[in-house]
Amino acid sequence: LINESIRLTQESRRVLAQLLAIAEGRYTVGQGTQADVLKAQTQLAKMSDELLRMERERPMMEAELSKLTGRTRTPRRFAVQLPSLPEVAISYESLRELALQRRPQLLGLRTVIDRGSAAIELARKEYQPDFEIRAQYGQRESMLDGTRRPDMMSLTLAINVPLWGKSKIDPRIAEARAMRDQALAMVEAQEHEVSAKLQQQIAIAEQSRKSAQLYASAIVPQAELAFESTLSAYRVSRADLPMLLDSQMSVFTYRIGQATAIVNFNKALVEIDLLTGVAPI
C-alpha cells in the first residue's frame, strides 16, 4: 500500500506541476491571478511533503519485513506490487468448521481435556482394591546322609484395600476435574472468539471487495472525467483554479481509496488463513 501510495503521489505531483505551469502562464498574460499561482504552489508543496512522509515510512516497514523474514543483516528493498482482487467464494460455515478443527490453540486445549478425563478415570480406579498373587518355588539340597528333601513351594494372595480414599484419592479427582472443566470453558471461549473473528474478517473481505470494484467501475473513472472536463473549462476561463485543484485531489484520493480497499481485501484473506490454516483462494 505504501509503494502504491508513493507511486500515486508522484503521479499526482506531476499533474499539479503541470497545473502550476498553466496557472503561471495564464498569470503572465493577465488571464489569471497571483492567488491562483500561490494556491497551486501550496498544493504542490503539500504533495511533496506527503511524499517525504511516505518515503520515511517505507524504510521502517522494510526493516520490519527484513526482521520477520530473517534477513536482518542485509537490508533489502522489497519490490512488491499492489495485490490483485481475485474472485473467491467465501463460505462462513465451511471456514468455521476448518478453523475449529485445525486451530492449534483448540487442539492443545482438547488434549488437556482428554488428559484430564484420563486422570479422573485413573484416579477412580484406585478406589478398587488391588489383588496380588505371588508364587515361589525353592529347590532344597539333600541332607548329609543323602536323604532327599522335598522342594518348597508357596502361594501368597495379597489384597491392598484403599482405606485412604477420602483423604488422597478425592482431592486428586477434584483437581483433575477442575483442570478439565477449565479447559472445556477455554475451548468454548476460543470457539466463540474464532467464530467472531472469522465473521469479522469475512465481512471486511466482502466490503473491501465491493468497495474496490465500485472504485474501479464508477468512482475513479467518473472523477477522472470530471477532472478532464474541469481542466478544459479552466483553459477557456469557465472554471477557476481552486475547482480544478479540488477535482485533481479527488482523483488522487479515490485512487488511494481503491488501493486501500484492495489491500484490505487481501489482508482479510490472510487473517482468514491464519484462523483456519487454509487460504480461501
Side-chain angles (χ1 to χ4, degrees), residues 8 11 31 37 117 121 146 153 156 165 167 209 250 272:
L8 293 174
E11 180 179 329
Q31 295 180 353
V37 176
S117 299
E121 187 63 25
M153 179 178 292
T156 303
S167 61
R209 175 166 55 187
S250 294
I272 293 173

Side-chain angles (χ1 to χ4, degrees), residues 145-215:
D145 58 359
T147 303
R148 290 183 57 83
R149 294 189 301 176
D151 296 339
M152 295 183 61
M153 179 178 292
S154 62
L155 182 65
T156 303
L157 174 62
I159 301 177
N160 183 11
V161 181
L163 301 177
W164 58 86
K166 291 294 182 182
S167 61
K168 292 185 178 181
I169 300 178
D170 287 357
R172 290 170 55 188
I173 293 179
E175 180 184 7
R177 184 179 291 113
M179 294 181 63
R180 185 193 61 182
D181 293 344
Q182 181 185 23
L184 284 170
M186 293 177 65
V187 165
E188 184 178 0
Q190 280 278 333
E191 288 179 349
H192 290 313
E193 182 179 359
V194 169
S195 299
K197 287 183 177 180
L198 189 58
Q199 284 182 320
Q200 180 184 18
Q201 294 304 322
I202 291 176
I204 292 175
E206 294 294 344
Q207 186 272 334
S208 299
R209 175 166 55 187
K210 292 178 181 179
S211 295
Q213 291 173 343
L214 183 60
Y215 275 116

